[in-house]
Amino acid sequence: MSSPPHTPQALNDIAQQLLGYDPKSLSIDMAREFIATLCESMASEFFNRVDAQEMVAMENALGRTLSQDVYSPMNVPAHTNSAMDGYAFRWQDVGSTQHRAPSEFKVVHTVLAGQAWDAALAKDECVKIMTGGVMPIGSDTVAPMELVHEITNDRAPFQCVRIDSQLFQAGDNRRLIGEDLREGALALAKGTRLHSASMGLLASLGLSHVRVWRCPKVAIFSTGSEVLALGEPFKHGHVYDANRLSLTGLLQGLGVEIVDLGVVRDDPQALKDAFLTAKETADIIITSGGVSVGEADYTKAIMKELGDVAFWRIAMRPGRPFALGRLGSCLLFGLPGNPVAVMVTFLALVRPVVLRLSGQTPQEPDAMWAKSVMDIRKKPGRTEYQRGLTHLSELGQLCVGLTGNQGSGILSSMVQGDCLIVLEHDQGDVKAGDLIKIWPLKSLI
Ligand code: AMP
Ligand code: MG
């Protein structure tokens, strides 16, 4: 046994805390709770490692998760500046006049972006200013170029302009210092996953590098003697390995490092080698196939031999057979073999753990509610994840219907559909017109 001596107890301990735990028929909620408990017990180990955090260059930060709060080291914008190409003037020069007739201003300077001008405006003076130009002292309002009448007269060398104050209010077209971010304010909180906008925001603070959690390493492999690796010639009775590619896609969007161990044949030594390699290199192992009841292969036996593993039949469809365990300091998920079941169990049960170990708050996919356009048969006592296709009704209401065949091997249903319809454990038949819960797939797969 390569696991520490206390490990075999761990899953039992968790099981004993869960009232009504039955590995042969586990509700999805209990499965989730079990997994979350195991994940938490391993998370502190994970986050307290010396190399748990690292600095990355901002351009490589997409999808990474902040490991500390980021406070703004400066005001953004750093100076009050013009939001338009135009003329900056003092509102009091027009605002104080009773009838607000168009006022004439003397143009005393041109302020380009990036060129500060230290002088202050005097009465009835203005500057020509470009977008981003620092507002001169005293000025508070900008009249856009196209709304200003330029006057050529004999008061050379200064050009004059006429500004119709009826068109403006005090402070128009000016961007105030710190209106985006105040110096010292929390810009982004620890645990934030960085996307394009947050990368831009941190860059606007002048930060070239950012401290993030290390990417969890996720080892994946497919098991089964009938599973062919891509590139192999097709053989009768076999299937090409769809699962590893679906998993790769699901994981790539989550900012993890994938360790791809390919297809592993139903051979004890090959399986053992794969699990041991995965255990040495990864934080999470995800396999597919070989965990259902009556499996003729060695996957379950090897999992049991190398770690502390529970084999479940989850009251869900698709995705009944499922293995959860711990191999050393590694979390193990043994997903079913059927391709839709792989994707659904990943989204419902594995994804939250991957998010958690990436430093984010673990969460189920974001749900929405849609009106069912059809009756849907559903037995209480299991959670179903059916493939649905949404549309907006003429009144703008979100509606959903089933894609065709809902078989757990029908991967095309995941392509035709744009959501999973989540029918909860206790729910019965759905009637056309009922509101039902959906998980939009767009941001998930
Ligand atoms: P299992 O859970 O191993 O009993 O597999 C259930 C079904 O999924 C079987 O029809 C397998 O052939 C199929 N299957 C298993 N692994 C894969 C895979 N990697 N890609 C596509 N189908 C698979
Ligand atoms: Mg199999």
Side-chain angles (χ1 to χ4, degrees):
M1 287 289 267
S2 50
S3 318
H6 68 275
T7 349
Q9 262 318 98
L11 293 196
N12 266 341
D13 291 346
I14 297 171
Q16 266 156 28
Q17 290 157 22
L18 294 175
L19 206 65
Y21 170 76
D22 175 7
K24 293 206 177 69
S25 172
L26 201 63
S27 72
I28 190 97
D29 282 345
M30 198 172 278
R32 202 174 275 132
E33 198 181 334
F34 198 118
I35 292 170
T37 308
L38 181 60
C39 176
E40 277 321 302
S41 76
M42 300 173 79
S44 52
E45 235 171 86
F46 188 82
F47 291 117
N48 286 324
R49 287 185 202 168
V50 278
D51 62 348
Q53 300 177 44
E54 61 185 349
M55 293 295 281
V56 291
M58 197 57 76
E59 50 270 39
N60 299 326
L62 185 69
R64 304 298 298 272
T65 304
L66 293 178
S67 61
Q68 60 182 25
D69 293 335
V70 178
Y71 291 91
S72 180
M74 59 187 280
N75 283 307
V76 180
H79 40 259
T80 298
N81 69 93
S82 175
M84 302 283 277
D85 291 340
Y87 293 88
F89 60 98
R90 311 188 321 168
W91 182 254
Q92 69 193 70
D93 295 344
V94 295
S96 55
T97 59
Q98 212 114 57
H99 25 74
R100 292 246 195 124
S103 324
E104 278 190 21
F105 287 88
K106 194 161 72 174
V107 185
V108 294
H109 191 73
T110 296
V111 178
L112 302 177
Q115 294 177 356
W117 185 60
D118 291 338
L121 286 187
K123 181 165 165 47
D124 295 334
E125 287 182 349
C126 72
V127 294
K128 190 171 188 175
I129 191 164
M130 300 303 134
T131 305
V134 180
M135 297 281 284
I137 298 161
S139 70
D140 50 20
T141 307
V142 174
M145 205 79 90
E146 58 275 18
L147 297 179
V148 167
H149 184 67
E150 296 186 352
I151 309 163
T152 37
N153 62 13
D154 48 8
R155 277 201 272 170
F158 297 116
Q159 188 201 353
C160 280
V161 292
R162 187 175 300 131
I163 295 177
D164 182 354
S165 63
Q166 308 276 11
L167 302 176
F168 308 105
Q169 291 186 351
D172 272 0
N173 304 311
R174 152 189 77 163
R175 302 190 285 219
L176 288 173
I177 180 169
E179 71 175 18
D180 188 359
L181 288 165
R182 276 241 155 261
E183 183 177 340
L186 181 66
L188 290 175
K190 174 179 172 177
T192 301
R193 179 161 183 265
L194 297 175
H195 54 35
S196 50
S198 40
M199 283 164 72
L201 185 122
L202 293 177
S204 79
L205 301 176
L207 301 176
S208 64
H209 288 72
V210 67
R211 186 171 288 282
V212 294
W213 293 114
R214 174 172 79 84
C215 287
K217 283 194 189 142
V218 183
I220 55 174
F221 58 92
S222 300
T223 70
S225 292
E226 79 282 26
V227 181
L228 295 174
L230 302 184
E232 281 191 74
F234 190 73
K235 284 189 242 163
H236 183 63
H238 286 60
V239 289
Y240 277 117
D241 181 12
N243 294 344
R244 205 162 36 88
L245 274 295
S246 298
L247 283 172
T248 301
L250 286 163
L251 287 163
Q252 267 174 0
L254 298 181
V256 301
E257 196 180 315
I258 299 172
V259 182
D260 186 347
L261 299 176
V263 180
V264 181
R265 290 287 144 73
D266 191 17
D267 164 75
Q269 196 55 50
L271 281 164
K272 203 169 192 169
D273 289 348
F275 277 112
L276 289 175
T277 306
K279 184 180 159 218
E280 291 317 312
T281 44
D283 305 297
I284 302 172
I285 306 172
I286 305 174
T287 66
S288 69
V291 293
S292 37
V293 187
E295 276 291 335
D297 66 18
Y298 296 104
T299 309
K300 286 165 83 171
I302 303 286
M303 284 180 177
K304 247 190 227 163
E305 183 189 329
L306 296 181
D308 181 19
V309 184
F311 297 94
W312 292 339
R313 282 162 71 187
I314 304 179
M316 70 185 287
R317 199 157 120 157
R320 223 149 66 112
F322 192 91
L324 171 76
R326 179 176 180 152
L327 305 193
S329 59
C330 218
L331 258 174
L332 166 70
F333 294 98
L335 309 189
N338 278 307
V340 182
V342 165
M343 297 192 77
V344 166
T345 50
F346 179 89
L347 292 173
L349 297 170
V350 184
R351 187 175 178 273
V353 171
V354 175
L355 294 179
R356 173 70 180 110
L357 293 185
S358 308
Q360 295 167 58
T361 313
Q363 59 195 11
E364 267 194 44
D366 290 331
M368 294 175 80
W369 292 83
K371 190 171 96 175
S372 180
V373 297
M374 53 173 70
D375 293 346
I376 303 174
R377 289 185 57 199
K378 159 73 172 61
K379 271 198 217 152
R382 67 179 182 218
T383 306
E384 292 190 10
Y385 299 86
Q386 308 223 18
R387 273 68 71 208
L389 189 59
T390 59
H391 67 273
L392 284 180
S393 73
E394 273 172 25
L395 296 172
Q397 185 174 21
L398 187 61
C399 297
V400 66
L402 293 176
T403 63
N405 189 336
Q406 296 290 316
S408 62
I410 307 292
L411 204 44
S412 54
S413 68
M414 288 294 290
V415 177
Q416 283 155 11
D418 63 2
C419 68
L420 289 177
I421 298 173
V422 183
L423 302 175
E424 312 274 10
H425 190 85
D426 294 327
Q427 193 167 345
D429 289 341
V430 172
K431 292 256 162 299
D434 286 354
L435 277 186
I436 50 180
K437 183 170 155 182
I438 62 168
W439 286 348
L441 286 174
K442 204 171 178 180
S443 58
L444 297 174
I445 68 174

